Amino acid sequence: MHEVVNPFDLSVIGSVPTADWETVDGYLSKADALYKDRSGWKKPHERAAILHKAMKIMEERRDHLAHQIANEGGKPLVDAVVEVDRAINGMELCIHDLANIKGTEIPMGLTAAGDGRIAWTTREPIGVVVAVSAFNHPLNLIVHQVAPAVATGCPVIVKPAADTPLSCFEFISILHEAGLPEDWARAVQPPRDVSEKMVSDPRVAFFSFIGSAGVGWSLRSKLAPGARCALEHGGVAPVIVDATADIDAAVPSLTKGGFYHSGQVCVSVQRIFAHSSVIDELAAKMAVAAKALKVGNAIDGDVECGPLIRPKECDRVAAWVEEAREGGATVLCGGEKLSDTTYAPTLLLNPSVDATISRNEVFGPVVCLYSYNDVDAAIAQANSLDVAFQAAVYTNDLSSVMNTYRNIDASAVMVNDHSAFRTDWMPFAGLRTSGHGVGGIGYTMHEMTHEKMIVIKA
């Protein structure tokens, strides 16, 4: 059995079974057989009914699911409740988006060769889906990877993060309780070598990965020929704050975007480029806001920043901050471990652009502030890394909005809102080394199907 601990006090809170290759191979064989037996494919209304029933079960267990997220993942309970609500809404989105899984008419009379024919396409499930997930949203990420597979009729096997498997295994159990036959959706917790063998198996038609870039790109290189994939990695999210920005409105937004889930979010605010005329005010007010955040065990209702997922991550963040401090950064607040598992919300002023924390995703409760006078130079610095995901700009100047939107490397730009904003139906995509493909419920459902054409000569 694989034991799961609360990341704050490291107490054991549960366990899930480990899976050897024999188990995984059996699941893949059954999933492959289900896909190949077209007579057993469930109709869209049958899949929708299962998702709807599962959604109702999740609603009934909302408080339990939220506590489980906080307990295994260290996400503050108030945010865990929001995650459960998003996961429930994601199920509903899958049901609604079934109406968008459709083909198109293909015009045939454009040349003489096409005369006397009509053609159209439909969309079919792509095949067996294997998903590997991350720890930071242990229920909602699983919903994003598994529910679209169920909705589109793909058998799916999911491996959750080793730190947070309880929510995943429970969600799969809920699907079974709602009427989905067990072999159509399985959760597994295999060792690394078995996971890699599972991902690279030729029976896998689609691979969904959420996690670190190094692991994701490595696994992509090992996929069997013909397998499609979607990769969602991290970024080092840049934010521009210009001279016209409403600082009082920006501070709570940036504080939430930077310290939500103790910064363990792939689009968390990490690099704020603020105009020299406002940076002192912004820095002072953000420091006050960050110092006021309560750090502790995420299952306590008043905690705003929980632990890092593992003690070694706390040590890593501390080392990065110390390196930045030694390189000339001013520590405006925080800058210290509060325990083996928690780190104080930290604000750094003008760390070196060569510091590790300026170049790499910190995935911890640290936000960096950089002063600028030339916005084009600030945007160039924001664009200087090999990662690109979501970005933001705070301004009351429309030309500043458009300049940032046109010139910053990002798949989405938030205006007067933090870079970590997301709804579950919008496109969500990392660029360059930050990812491959497009996430979001409807987009994932589209990716898990392929187009099939019929041409009739009449």
Side-chain angles (χ1 to χ4, degrees):
M1 297 294 285
H2 174 79
E3 289 190 336
V4 184
V5 302
N6 175 304
F8 177 76
D9 60 16
L10 305 182
S11 61
V12 176
I13 59 172
S15 63
V16 297
T18 53
D20 57 16
W21 173 246
E22 184 178 0
T23 299
V24 172
D25 182 48
Y27 289 166
L28 281 169
S29 292
K30 289 176 181 177
D32 188 49
L34 284 172
Y35 176 69
K36 289 177 177 176
D37 179 14
R38 290 172 177 258
S39 67
W41 285 8
K42 290 191 175 296
K43 297 178 175 62
H45 70 86
E46 294 173 323
R47 304 194 298 264
I50 290 169
L51 291 170
H52 188 266
K53 186 173 181 181
M55 182 179 74
K56 292 302 182 184
I57 295 171
M58 292 168 71
E59 288 173 346
E60 293 166 1
R61 300 177 190 171
R62 178 174 179 263
D63 291 344
H64 159 71
L65 291 170
H67 183 270
Q68 185 163 259
I69 289 167
N71 206 18
E72 69 172 336
K75 177 178 286 186
L77 192 56
V78 63
D79 296 317
V81 170
V82 173
E83 179 175 341
V84 176
D85 288 342
R86 284 182 60 186
I88 292 168
N89 179 249
M91 302 289 280
E92 190 169 17
L93 289 171
C94 283
I95 297 168
H96 290 167
D97 263 303
L98 274 170
N100 295 320
I101 302 300
K102 57 188 178 182
T104 57
E105 180 184 356
I106 309 299
M108 284 286 108
L110 301 180
T111 67
D115 280 349
R117 294 166 176 83
I118 57 172
W120 66 85
T121 65
T122 57
R123 299 198 73 86
E124 291 188 346
I126 192 172
V128 177
V129 171
V130 162
V132 174
S133 205
F135 76 85
N136 53 340
H137 308 290
L139 178 62
N140 198 40
L141 292 183
I142 300 299
V143 167
H144 270 255
Q145 293 173 288
V146 172
V150 174
T152 55
C154 295
V156 57
I157 302 171
V158 57
K159 179 206 168 299
D163 296 296
T164 56
L166 301 179
S167 295
C168 173
F169 274 73
E170 179 149 356
F171 176 66
I172 297 300
S173 177
I174 287 172
L175 287 174
H176 297 159
E177 186 179 342
L180 184 70
E182 290 188 356
D183 289 334
W184 280 93
R186 293 286 192 177
V188 294
Q189 192 63 65
R192 184 184 293 267
D193 60 330
V194 174
S195 296
E196 186 172 307
K197 195 173 181 180
M198 174 179 69
V199 168
S200 58
D201 192 278
R203 289 166 290 189
V204 176
F206 189 87
F207 173 50
S208 170
F209 178 84
I210 302 174
S212 69
V215 175
W217 290 112
S218 175
L219 289 174
R220 178 178 181 257
S221 72
K222 298 171 182 177
L223 294 178
R228 292 191 202 168
C229 71
L231 310 177
E232 184 182 308
H233 304 142
V236 190
V239 177
I240 304 295
V241 181
D242 79 2
T244 71
D246 182 338
I247 300 302
D248 287 333
V251 166
S253 175
L254 289 168
T255 301
K256 184 66 175 180
F259 299 114
Y260 163 63
H261 201 1
S262 293
Q264 297 171 113
V265 179
C266 61
V267 286
S268 177
V269 171
Q270 184 171 333
R271 297 179 296 158
I272 301 175
F273 300 91
H275 191 268
S276 59
S277 64
V278 299
I279 193 167
D280 290 342
E281 180 186 2
L282 178 65
K285 291 181 176 179
M286 279 197 70
V288 170
K291 288 177 184 176
L293 295 171
K294 182 172 180 179
V295 181
N297 194 335
I299 62 175
D300 296 334
D302 59 346
V303 165
E304 296 164 288
C305 287
L308 278 295
I309 191 62
R310 291 179 292 275
K312 71 176 184 179
E313 296 303 316
C314 202
D315 293 339
R316 177 188 57 79
V317 170
W320 287 17
V321 171
E322 188 57 33
E323 179 203 44
R325 191 196 324 248
E326 291 175 355
T330 301
V331 179
L332 300 175
C333 66
E336 61 178 343
K337 288 173 61 177
L338 300 179
S339 70
D340 288 341
T341 60
T342 56
Y343 197 84
T346 298
L347 195 63
L348 299 179
L349 180 62
N350 288 322
S352 166
V353 295
D354 296 321
T356 301
I357 210 160
S358 293
R359 296 182 290 106
N360 294 280
E361 182 181 31
V362 64
F363 231 60
V366 184
V367 174
C368 302
L369 271 165
Y370 308 84
S371 179
Y372 78 84
N373 287 304
D374 180 352
V375 70
D376 293 330
I379 291 174
Q381 185 178 334
N383 292 346
S384 64
L385 306 180
D386 63 355
V387 292
F389 213 139
Q390 296 195 162
V393 56
Y394 289 78
T395 179
N396 282 308
D397 181 356
L398 181 58
S399 64
S400 178
V401 170
M402 297 311 298
N403 182 64
T404 301
Y405 176 73
R406 291 189 183 107
N407 292 294
I408 205 161
D409 286 340
S411 59
V413 179
M414 309 303 156
V415 180
N416 294 327
D417 204 350
H418 58 71
S419 58
F421 172 79
R422 183 185 184 184
T423 64
D424 296 290
W425 58 86
M426 73 188 214
F428 192 68
L431 307 179
R432 299 206 293 274
T433 62
S434 288
H436 176 76
V438 181
I441 294 291
Y443 298 89
T444 299
M445 289 175 64
H446 184 84
E447 288 290 298
M448 289 181 178
T449 62
H450 63 78
E451 204 162 25
K452 185 175 185 179
M453 183 173 66
I454 182 170
V455 181
I456 299 175
K457 184 178 181 181

